[in-house]
Amino acid sequence: MKVVLVQPPCWVTETPPYNISLLKAVCQSHGFEVVCLDLNIKFYNALLGNNNGQLYNNPPDWINSEYVRKIIENYNYVVDKYTEYILGVSCRVVGFTVNAMNKIFAEELAKRIKYKDKDKIIIFGGPECFSPVERKSLLLGNNCVDAVCSFEGEKALPLLLTCINNNREICVPGIVYRNNDKIIDGGDVSCVDDLNSLPFADYSDFQMDSYTSKALPISTSRGCINKCLFCSEFRFWRKYRYRDAENIFEEIRCQKQRSPSISHFFFNDSLINGNIRNLDKLCQLIIDSHLDISWGGQAAIREEMTPDFIAKMKAAGFSHVSYGLESASPKMLKIMGKRFAPEVAERVIRSTKKMGIRTCVNIIVGFPGEEEEDILATAKFLRRNKEFIDEMLFHPLVINRGAYLDENRELFGIKLNREHNLYDWYSTKEDNSLAKRIDTIKFYKHFIGIEGKSFFRPAEYYLCIADSYYSKEDYLNAFKYYIRAKRYNTDKFREPFIAERLQKLQEQLKNL
């Protein structure tokens, strides 16, 4: 039986998608023929050819259904082309990997496939399916989705495909499916405890020249050793698991043999240094083999990240890192659940940069309980260390599905203005709104003396605030911020949306 696995936009453009590449290898080991389609990179290159590749720099836009449908409408020929491609593969099953930013696009493509071939069985999996709330929404709200993989797919997907191939009734742990008008839950599925048992990802369906960097992703672990209140990683993955250094090294060597032009690997993990001893062993294996590679990824700030250990990582090809600093206020670090002191962070960041490793830090803006002195402490830390930081990323706090903050909103006084938009929330216990968080980012940039980066650019700042006021029927403030969004906007797909809102608001304001 043949299966197509699809990565819809919006996703990263630097590397092929790891998740469907791994699932391809897993399903093929069970005797199924699998074709992977990275529609994300196909769509990106189509937009790039029309001078619209910058759309991929605005992730918050992709959770806006009006915005995404406008993009699809303008590039309908691309969507139609790959809908026909999928239908032409003569597969029985089409699987989509779904996250918050590509869910709307995935749903639209699934509808088109079902419309043209109602016998196609469509399966959704991925992070957006881990939450029971989102799972239910996907199945109840879409007749085009037949089944949802509720957790890791390496066990559940081959069993599901076997049932489909043998025309047996579906009763698979980890699969929730539709049977006429009933939603049937196959029950829980256990974790893949031994990650070493999984085959190496198969990237044979992808053209490396299509991507914006010569790199391959590799996953060395799942989950996180930390339990930060804003993060859902440790909850979704249930427990921290890691591959042995020897197994990771063998995959790196194998992928190098398969793709000799590849010299860089991106470690696609929540943190690359969850097990320091295992990481040390991997570094030694790379050094001893004289393997000419570079690699990097996300890392936690830890006491064990000593200058000597960082030097060893550098000798093994470690070239870039993104640290989850989040704050430099001792109070806020404790509240968030971080397990390091600002002094340790300063030492680790400086040691990393001194070794010639590209160093990025992430800052969370607007965590409940954050006061002016906490913001100032973080701003002073960043200004003091800015020569040791290549990139600062400022993130207005997102209420991630499944995170402690999400499950305890009432405790923190968190209210969402729009249930589908996890950026747009306010607090009933303090002055904490999206507008306030965006003002804080501006303060950081001004105080530190940098341009800095965040998910939002000026047009997105003002559009989010305007949407928030609009949803609360505060039309005067909404009008003011839509005007600002229009002034800064450079995205032609956003123009009609802003113009339409302004016209409606002018009519509503006349009647006030």
Side-chain angles (χ1 to χ4, degrees):
M1 185 174 73
K2 188 177 286 188
V3 181
V4 174
L5 298 179
V6 183
Q7 172 67 64
C10 167
W11 192 238
V12 297
T13 60
E14 290 81 7
T15 66
Y18 175 78
N19 44 4
I20 60 174
S21 303
L22 177 60
L23 285 174
K24 174 184 172 80
V26 169
C27 292
Q28 287 188 156
S29 71
H30 286 78
F32 298 103
E33 186 180 351
V34 181
V35 176
C36 287
L37 171 63
D38 186 359
L39 183 54
N40 175 64
I41 200 63
K42 303 286 188 187
F43 204 73
Y44 172 76
N45 285 321
L47 267 62
L48 196 65
N50 286 272
N51 298 315
N52 279 305
Q54 79 275 8
L55 296 182
Y56 274 63
N57 295 324
N58 309 325
D61 281 336
W62 289 83
I63 64 175
N64 183 327
S65 58
E66 294 177 67
Y67 182 82
V68 174
R69 290 192 177 101
K70 194 69 179 173
I71 292 177
I72 292 172
E73 180 185 317
N74 279 268
Y75 287 92
N76 195 50
Y77 71 96
V78 182
V79 184
D80 277 346
K81 175 182 176 180
Y82 288 103
T83 301
E84 293 302 324
Y85 168 82
I86 292 168
L87 291 167
V89 173
S90 299
C91 61
R92 194 171 173 191
V93 175
V94 182
F96 291 85
T97 177
V98 184
N99 59 55
M101 290 188 299
N102 69 24
K103 183 179 79 166
I104 298 166
F105 201 108
E107 289 172 331
E108 176 61 28
L109 187 56
K111 285 175 187 174
R112 294 183 181 212
I113 293 169
K114 273 288 191 182
Y115 177 76
K116 294 201 170 187
D117 186 349
K118 61 181 177 58
D119 293 326
K120 282 281 187 287
I121 297 172
I122 294 182
I123 305 167
F124 276 18
E128 196 68 5
C129 304
F130 285 8
S131 162
V133 174
E134 295 300 331
R135 223 160 35 232
K136 186 177 179 182
S137 170
L138 285 169
L139 283 169
L140 291 177
N142 298 284
N143 291 328
C144 59
V145 181
D146 298 297
V148 170
C149 185
S150 63
F151 190 47
E152 296 173 333
E154 290 84 7
K155 288 183 178 181
L157 186 55
L159 289 174
L160 174 61
L161 296 178
T162 300
C163 289
I164 294 170
N165 192 43
N166 296 329
N167 296 311
R168 294 206 313 258
E169 183 181 349
I170 296 172
C171 187
V172 176
I175 297 293
V176 184
Y177 71 99
R178 182 198 313 283
N179 187 350
N180 295 320
D181 294 330
K182 293 182 179 179
I183 304 300
I184 300 173
D185 192 335
D188 198 13
V189 64
S190 59
C191 296
V192 179
D193 286 318
D194 183 11
L195 297 181
N196 298 316
S197 67
L198 298 175
F200 300 154
D202 184 342
Y203 297 108
S204 58
D205 287 331
F206 307 114
Q207 295 178 312
M208 289 306 302
D209 290 343
S210 299
Y211 296 90
T212 57
S213 72
K214 287 278 187 180
L216 281 179
I218 185 171
S219 180
T220 70
S221 64
R222 291 184 183 179
C224 186
I225 59 172
N226 297 317
K227 295 182 178 180
C228 302
L229 271 61
F230 56 83
C231 185
S232 55
E233 289 286 306
F234 76 96
R235 287 170 169 260
F236 282 164
W237 295 112
R238 300 182 185 174
K239 58 182 179 180
Y240 177 71
R241 293 154 283 156
Y242 62 92
R243 296 167 60 185
D244 292 341
E246 293 83 358
N247 183 256
I248 301 165
F249 177 72
E250 281 307 313
E251 177 166 9
I252 291 173
R253 190 155 60 179
C254 175
Q255 300 293 6
K256 273 282 290 177
Q257 289 172 350
R258 291 175 180 175
S259 305
S261 64
I262 296 299
S263 60
H264 184 75
F265 290 86
F266 177 75
F267 281 36
N268 192 32
D269 303 329
S270 302
L271 73 173
I272 61 177
N273 58 346
N275 186 310
I276 294 291
R277 185 176 297 178
N278 199 56
L279 181 57
D280 179 76
K281 189 182 292 186
L282 175 63
C283 290
Q284 194 62 54
L285 286 169
I286 295 172
I287 292 167
D288 292 345
S289 71
H290 304 289
L291 198 59
D292 184 19
I293 62 165
S294 61
W295 52 280
Q298 298 183 122
I301 291 170
R302 304 183 61 177
E303 286 273 8
E304 296 92 335
M305 297 289 285
T306 63
D308 287 345
F309 185 67
I310 294 170
K312 185 171 187 177
M313 292 174 70
K314 172 68 176 178
F318 188 57
S319 62
H320 66 91
V321 65
S322 179
Y323 284 122
L325 174 63
E326 319 309 1
S327 176
S329 158
K331 182 193 88 178
M332 292 313 300
L333 289 172
K334 185 176 181 180
I335 291 174
M336 288 181 185
K338 308 298 285 186
R339 299 195 292 178
F340 60 84
E343 312 83 68
V344 174
E346 190 156 10
R347 190 257 297 163
V348 170
I349 289 168
R350 290 186 174 217
S351 297
T352 303
K353 182 58 184 173
K354 285 176 181 177
M355 286 308 307
I357 296 163
R358 179 171 173 78
T359 306
C360 169
V361 299
N362 293 283
I363 302 296
I364 286 180
V365 179
F367 196 92
E370 186 175 63
E371 298 175 300
E372 288 184 3
E373 54 263 37
D374 304 307
I375 294 168
L376 189 58
T378 301
K380 286 180 176 179
F381 178 97
L382 294 172
R383 187 166 69 178
R384 186 168 66 248
N385 290 287
K386 70 177 180 179
E387 66 180 286
F388 302 100
I389 300 172
D390 292 289
E391 192 172 29
M392 299 179 193
L393 294 175
F394 299 98
H395 306 275
L397 178 67
V398 178
I399 310 302
N400 287 308
R401 295 291 191 202
Y404 183 87
L405 276 181
D406 177 50
E407 295 177 353
N408 295 272
R409 293 185 202 172
E410 191 173 329
L411 179 66
F412 292 92
I414 292 171
K415 296 283 187 182
L416 294 182
N417 279 318
R418 294 167 289 166
E419 195 63 33
H420 72 281
N421 191 327
L422 306 182
Y423 293 92
D424 188 7
W425 61 274
Y426 66 96
S427 174
T428 60
K429 296 188 175 183
E430 58 188 353
D431 180 16
N432 193 344
S433 63
L434 181 57
K436 176 80 177 291
R437 294 188 288 276
I438 287 170
D439 282 343
T440 301
I441 292 175
K442 292 177 183 176
F443 164 75
Y444 274 129
K445 293 179 180 182
H446 177 76
F447 185 92
I448 299 162
I450 59 163
E451 174 59 28
K453 288 187 179 181
S454 76
F455 274 136
F456 296 97
R457 293 183 299 187
E460 286 89 65
Y461 289 161
Y462 296 127
L463 192 58
C464 279
I465 297 171
D467 285 346
S468 179
Y469 281 125
Y470 189 87
S471 67
K472 290 185 285 188
E473 299 182 356
D474 184 346
Y475 298 131
L476 192 60
N477 276 313
F479 185 82
K480 179 172 70 174
Y481 281 99
Y482 279 126
I483 289 291
R484 292 184 184 182
K486 182 180 180 182
R487 187 183 307 147
Y488 284 95
N489 182 51
T490 57
D491 178 357
K492 71 177 185 181
F493 292 106
R494 200 182 287 118
E495 284 175 9
F497 171 73
I498 297 174
E500 182 183 334
R501 279 287 163 89
L502 282 170
Q503 185 177 352
K504 285 182 180 179
L505 282 168
Q506 283 176 325
E507 293 169 1
Q508 285 164 327
L509 288 171
K510 283 177 185 177
N511 297 325
L512 288 178

